Amino acid sequence: MPPDIILPGETADLSEFLWIKRPLIVFADSPADPRYTLQMEYLTERLEDLDERDIVVLTDTDPSADSALRERLHPRGFMLVLIGKDGTIYLRKPLPWDVREISRVIDKMPMRQQEMRDRRGGS
């Protein structure tokens, strides 16, 4: 299993991932939210695919903590947010998405396409 791919989002600073990782943020008002539980199952089933795409998963299930992520992204209940390496928000979803759907979105990003070309040409 890839190390440190799922981190608590309450203390995360998005600037530390800029140009390095693609943050995938999973918000819920409680870790018991069935949508949160399902989303985390989807993600943990395919961690290698996430790691291959330089994703770091940030979880935030405590609205009372008033985290910087909540300040910036204003979730209402469950929300899934994908941010590119350049800091652009590429996806906001109110329902769980599986890794295949998330991967498709990432694989269409210009920076990801360049990474795939670099990997093919460089190996």
Side-chain angles (χ1 to χ4, degrees):
M1 180 157 104
D4 298 335
I5 197 168
I6 299 177
L7 303 170
E10 289 87 359
T11 57
D13 177 0
L14 287 176
S15 65
E16 66 188 84
F17 303 113
L18 201 58
W19 304 114
I20 300 167
K21 294 281 187 187
R22 294 179 176 93
L24 182 67
I25 304 147
V26 184
F27 288 106
D29 288 345
S30 159
D33 182 324
R35 295 166 299 182
Y36 175 79
T37 306
L38 180 60
Q39 184 65 70
M40 296 312 291
E41 283 174 19
Y42 285 161
L43 298 176
T44 52
E45 285 169 3
R46 310 241 338 241
L47 286 175
E48 311 75 39
D49 292 345
L50 298 176
D51 191 45
E52 181 183 313
R53 288 168 177 81
D54 296 329
I55 289 179
V56 59
V57 177
L58 303 174
T59 61
D60 186 332
T61 57
D62 183 4
S64 65
D66 224 13
S67 68
L69 290 177
R70 285 183 181 271
E71 284 287 308
R72 177 167 175 208
L73 300 168
H74 309 290
R76 288 194 267 326
F78 178 88
M79 188 166 84
L80 180 68
V81 181
L82 173 64
I83 299 179
K85 286 184 178 181
D86 61 357
T88 302
I89 297 170
Y90 281 92
L91 182 71
R92 282 178 184 261
K93 290 288 168 190
L95 298 169
W97 258 36
D98 72 27
V99 171
R100 191 176 308 116
E101 293 171 310
I102 295 165
S103 296
R104 267 193 222 117
V105 170
I106 292 168
D107 289 348
K108 290 178 184 168
M109 294 177 183
M111 190 176 292
R112 171 68 181 151
Q113 298 215 331
Q114 183 62 51
E115 289 168 2
M116 290 189 296
R117 280 192 297 272
D118 291 349
R119 285 187 185 147
R120 274 197 306 268
S123 52

